[in-house]
Amino acid sequence: MRILTALAAFAALTIPEAPAAAFDRDSALAAAKQDNGRDQDRAYDATKSGKSMPLPMIERRVVPQMGGAQYLGPEFRGSIYRLKFLRNGRVIWVDVDASTGRVVRRSGN
């Protein structure tokens, strides 16, 4: 009987909602899309001006070297492409010089 009473009390508990200002999903998604658009614009401009290799060329060089890790996508940071991979639940970042296609840093394993 005590167990049933405790279960009924537990079932009656509710978790209060977080305030709307704590996290606005739509605003966060819009900001991410806007940043991605800026990355794309900067990458396009750098490639067009000859300061950067095209991303597909860099991906063709780096992705095969990653030993079966899942490729999640790029970020463009001025003179560096940052490629994100996932292997065994761990994130691996590979920084590639955008002008030469040379790997300059790798974090994670």
Side-chain angles (χ1 to χ4, degrees), residues 42-71:
R42 286 193 302 263
Y44 175 77
D45 292 341
T47 301
K48 188 175 175 183
S49 68
K51 295 178 184 176
S52 172
M53 295 173 63
L55 176 61
M57 187 180 290
I58 289 174
E59 290 171 332
R60 282 192 301 267
R61 289 180 175 200
V62 176
V63 172
Q65 298 176 16
M66 293 306 295
Q70 180 184 3
Y71 178 49

Side-chain angles (χ1 to χ4, degrees), residues 35-45 76:
D35 287 343
N36 189 34
R38 287 189 207 135
D39 272 359
Q40 290 174 348
D41 291 340
R42 286 193 302 263
Y44 175 77
D45 292 341
F76 184 69

Side-chain angles (χ1 to χ4, degrees), residues 23-39:
F23 180 74
D24 183 357
R25 181 178 178 270
D26 293 334
S27 294
L29 288 173
K33 285 181 183 178
Q34 189 174 23
D35 287 343
N36 189 34
R38 287 189 207 135
D39 272 359

Side-chain angles (χ1 to χ4, degrees):
M1 185 76 157
R2 260 188 201 175
I3 293 174
L4 291 176
T5 306
L7 286 174
F10 180 75
L13 292 176
T14 59
I15 299 171
E17 289 188 29
F23 180 74
D24 183 357
R25 181 178 178 270
D26 293 334
S27 294
L29 288 173
K33 285 181 183 178
Q34 189 174 23
D35 287 343
N36 189 34
R38 287 189 207 135
D39 272 359
Q40 290 174 348
D41 291 340
R42 286 193 302 263
Y44 175 77
D45 292 341
T47 301
K48 188 175 175 183
S49 68
K51 295 178 184 176
S52 172
M53 295 173 63
L55 176 61
M57 187 180 290
I58 289 174
E59 290 171 332
R60 282 192 301 267
R61 289 180 175 200
V62 176
V63 172
Q65 298 176 16
M66 293 306 295
Q70 180 184 3
Y71 178 49
L72 301 177
E75 291 179 8
F76 184 69
R77 298 187 171 196
S79 62
I80 299 289
Y81 275 106
R82 179 166 251 209
L83 307 183
K84 185 177 183 180
F85 295 87
L86 184 65
R87 180 186 296 134
N88 300 327
R90 295 189 147 196
V91 174
I92 302 167
W93 293 99
V94 179
D95 293 344
V96 181
D97 184 295
S99 61
T100 65
R102 186 176 65 85
V103 173
V104 294
R105 183 176 48 219
R106 180 177 164 166
S107 65
N109 287 329

